[in-house]
Amino acid sequence: MDHDPGREKGRDAFLRFGASGVVFTILGPALFWLAYPWGPFLAVAIAELGVHSVRFVTFRSLVFPASKGYRVSLPRYLVSALPLTFTGFASVALLRHHLDRTALTLVGALISLVVGFLWSRFVYSQPVQQPSSIKPGGGRWRRG
């Protein structure tokens, strides 16, 4: 069997991505459940803001580090996080009158897990394109 560094890099990233997914799938709903007494919409706002702040730093430094050739930018991360935030608020809006605190937390966690995995996998599998004006060894500001 041949040693393929690219395949090994992808497997390591997948494992780090999966481990962080487990952590944030627990952390987000826990924050929501704890903040719920202040109201369901404030709870989802606190959970989303708290989790995504920590998740961005974790993605950038541990899951997809630049030292391994990845590029996690804030705009790209926001694109990956917006569907999660939207589904969090939408599920609270639709289900808050039908489910109690714990059931709403569990349903929200399940929805977040599915949407987060599928959407992040799609976003982070897309290649990062460099603007055509940026070329190795120079750029448009180069003289001569």
Side-chain angles (χ1 to χ4, degrees):
M1 183 182 279
D2 293 329
H3 177 71
D4 183 358
R7 187 176 203 173
E8 190 173 300
K9 175 185 163 186
R11 184 177 30 242
D12 290 346
F14 180 76
L15 291 173
R16 290 189 307 269
F17 179 71
S20 74
V22 169
V23 169
F24 291 111
T25 299
I26 294 168
L27 181 61
L31 285 173
F32 174 79
W33 193 88
L34 291 169
Y36 192 86
W38 294 324
F41 289 106
L42 183 55
V44 77
I46 290 169
E48 292 292 325
L49 184 60
V51 164
H52 288 300
S53 297
V54 175
R55 189 172 177 248
F56 172 71
V57 172
T58 301
F59 267 34
R60 192 172 177 115
S61 60
L62 299 174
V63 177
F64 301 111
S67 65
K68 300 239 185 225
Y70 295 102
R71 183 173 165 251
V72 177
S73 66
L74 185 57
R76 197 168 187 186
Y77 180 80
L78 290 175
V79 167
S80 76
L82 284 176
L84 290 171
T85 301
F86 175 77
T87 56
F89 279 100
S91 62
V92 166
L94 294 171
L95 301 172
R96 74 182 188 279
H97 296 300
H98 306 288
L99 301 173
D100 67 12
R101 174 183 180 182
T102 301
L104 186 56
T105 301
L106 293 174
V107 168
L110 181 62
I111 291 169
S112 177
L113 177 70
V114 171
V115 171
F117 175 77
L118 295 175
W119 185 246
S120 291
R121 184 173 176 184
F122 170 75
V123 168
Y124 289 109
S125 69
Q126 301 304 305
V128 176
Q129 295 185 3
Q130 296 293 327
S132 61
S133 64
I134 299 175
K135 297 183 178 30
R140 63 180 175 174
W141 303 111
R142 187 174 169 195
R143 292 184 185 198

